[in-house]
Amino acid sequence: MNPTEASKATTVRVGLFTLFGLALVGAFTVFVNDKPYWWRKCEPVYISVEDATGLKTKSPIRSLGLQVGYLHSVELTETRVKLGVCITAPIEILPDTRAYIRGEGFLGDKFVELKPVRYVGEVRVGPREHHEVAPPAPAASASPSATTSASTTSANENRRPGSVAKGAKKGNSLLRNELSREENLDPKKALEAKPVEIEKEVQPDTSELEKGSEGYPFHTSMVRFLDLLVPSARAEDVSNAKEVPVGSSNRDMDKLIEQSNKLMIEMTDLTKNLKEGLQPKELRETIQQLNKTLQSAGKALSPEGGLNSTARRALEKLEKAFEAMQAQMERINRGEGSVGRILNDPVYADEALKAMKNLNKLLNKAADILFMVRLGAEQLPAYDGGRGYFQLQIFPNPTRYYLIGVTIDPRGRRTVLNTTTTSNGQSTAVSSEQIEEGGLLLTGMFGKVFWNRFDVAAGALHSDGAVSIGLHLGPVGSERMFTVRNDIYVRGQGVGLNDRLSVIAQPFLHNDFLGSLFVEGGLESFRKYNGKTSAFFGGGVTFSDDDIKLLFAFK
Amino acid sequence: MWRRRGLVLKQCESIGVSSGGIIVVAASFMGAVLGYQFYVAFRLFNAEALLGGTVGVALFRELAPVMTAIMVTGRAGAAMAAEIGSMRISEQVDALDVMAVDPIEFLVTPRIIAGTIMLPILAIFFTAVASVAGAAVACGVLDLDSTIYWTQYAKVVDTIDLVHCTTKGAAFGMILTWVGCFNGYRAQGGASAVGLATRNTVVASCLAILLVDYILTSFLPFGYLRLKVES
């Protein structure tokens, strides 16, 4: 054997060894990159903060104590730090969602909390053994180990203090979000339960609460259940240290709250229902200014959770806005300005109120009516031409509709001219038919839909008397995805009864871009025309009720 | 080099595959000791939960590549110094020259390539075994929750630690094979020269590994030099 050549056994051994090593590298890479997330869909969110001390990639993103994502990137922008957040849980970031940087654990590990958020995933309800629930964590700043330690010292578990023992596994793994990613937790309930929990937590002593509910097993169970789901909510409400500024800033907040109260009293006395209906320029501008200021204040107050110089400036702006708005309100209350005169004149105010009510009624009625427009084109080879049509379907209610439309048809507009000539007492009737190619044909039908499937309509279809029967054969909820329609029509005397069979499909009904497109085809007539089978095919576009109402600003 | 691939594979087997057993044994005890020692230290602060992450980072960044390199130095580095040294004193290397076979290409290059390839794999192998051993001691003997151990492990260990481990492994593999070949190639005299070359290889390789470890730790991304600059 050539000494420079390796045997097959050597090759196989080295190959397997190398493959195994590479597999280990891959496995470690996946594992240390937060294994549970690597395959999940990620919704990117960005947060801009002034100081990202303690935050690093993979820091958890939490809401109500549950991990909902992780920090994907930390980038320095011009003067701030941009945090790229990867949301992996099925939650929706709301317009009023704010981010807070918090610390936890023995070393004060930083994480980002988002609240409030809305759970949009599937609700999962599973069995839970309530007797295994550990007591809630004492404070949000408790470390994972410290939190767990607190849990392990429950009365029914005899364990060394400070140790993280196996016995605490079930309760703690549910309590600690990072340990409960795949557990049978019901996040929706957790998210929804938070306000309830906070309200309960307002009571100073929770042990009394539970003690007092000993006679109510269900209530006790619920309290413990909620403790389990939102431990940090309780703790946060107790500490509440990072969100509410302390020291001299409290005075500013008190002042603002006091002014807000005054303002609200003024507004309540003054505007009632009219405040939404009548927004004069000055009032609107003030409200816009107030909104801007509130947004600035919101941004400034979060995510740091404390008052800094930007926040103070925002508060000053807010204060000024409040003062300005209060001044406006006082002017209006005194009857000054156009709005003040209107609002303080009972006649004008009543009339305006009636007008608003009537307008609302009208708009509500309009909102109940559904519209659908179909624009289509069909090719009729036998007639050597094409048909174009516009049809508007008006649904006063979902089971009844009116169909109106116009059509340009290669068959033309047929008019029959009966001429009666009287000569020497004898009358001669001559009937002549005129076909006006390119003439507009009218459609007007009344239809009714039964069980969303069976559609019957009668009236004039392309200027022919017709009775139409349609079957919507699409899946439930998308019945019109596939429709078979039969129109029995009469063009008039001498032409006779005819039948039109068409198949209409909207294959992309649920697609945002292609959903309005439809294709159709069928037989225009069972009779042959010029020796040819009069088939047709075509397509078009439908405009839904939302499109039309948006167009006409009904919505 | 492609035509010498058979030699590379042989050296891969000698340096990598054959060292697997000793690596497993060493890693098992190393991981177990780490589990014990860190547990004792962290328990002083009620911070046992950090054990998994600490063991992981320590292994990936330092212990696995360094320990693997030292183990392979003792086993394969010394062997290759002795082998090449024996060839040198028995004039087999000169015979290669006479036969127009480049001894560097024939003896040295395959070993260096094999060491550079195999050491990172062995280091990862070491890490995996030691991590499991640490978990076995911490969770099986010392009652730490295994979920906490592995969750913290995944949370604290980063991809950059993997980069550290493999980079250092490759560098150490190159160094120890280079030192072994160098000492073997320069052996002169009788049989004692082989022993001398072997001893020099182990000593020089271990020192070089530790020195290069310090340098790499300082200059690799997220190394300590950067921390110093930031502070």
Side-chain angles (χ1 to χ4, degrees), chain A residues 39-77:
Chain A
W39 55 271
R40 291 189 187 180
K41 188 181 176 187
C42 169
E43 183 196 346
V45 176
Y46 294 101
I47 302 167
S48 181
V49 297
E50 285 187 348
D51 186 359
T53 304
L55 285 175
K56 56 183 181 180
T57 54
K58 295 203 302 184
S59 290
I61 308 298
R62 291 180 179 157
S63 186
L64 302 178
L66 302 176
Q67 186 159 353
V68 296
Y70 62 95
L71 199 57
H72 185 257
S73 63
V74 181
E75 297 171 3
L76 186 64
T77 57

Side-chain angles (χ1 to χ4, degrees), chain A residues 237-284:
Chain A
D237 196 52
V238 172
S239 61
N240 217 11
K242 294 229 168 185
E243 280 184 271
V244 180
V246 293
S248 60
S249 302
N250 272 347
R251 211 165 36 201
D252 301 334
M253 293 299 291
D254 290 343
K255 195 175 171 186
L256 276 175
I257 291 168
E258 190 183 341
Q259 283 186 324
S260 302
N261 283 336
K262 280 184 189 174
L263 188 63
M264 290 311 295
I265 291 167
E266 291 278 352
M267 288 179 76
T268 308
D269 289 344
L270 178 65
T271 58
K272 295 183 182 172
N273 293 330
L274 288 170
K275 66 182 179 183
E276 289 179 4
L278 296 172
Q279 292 185 353
K281 190 181 174 187
E282 350 171 76
L283 182 59
R284 194 163 59 237

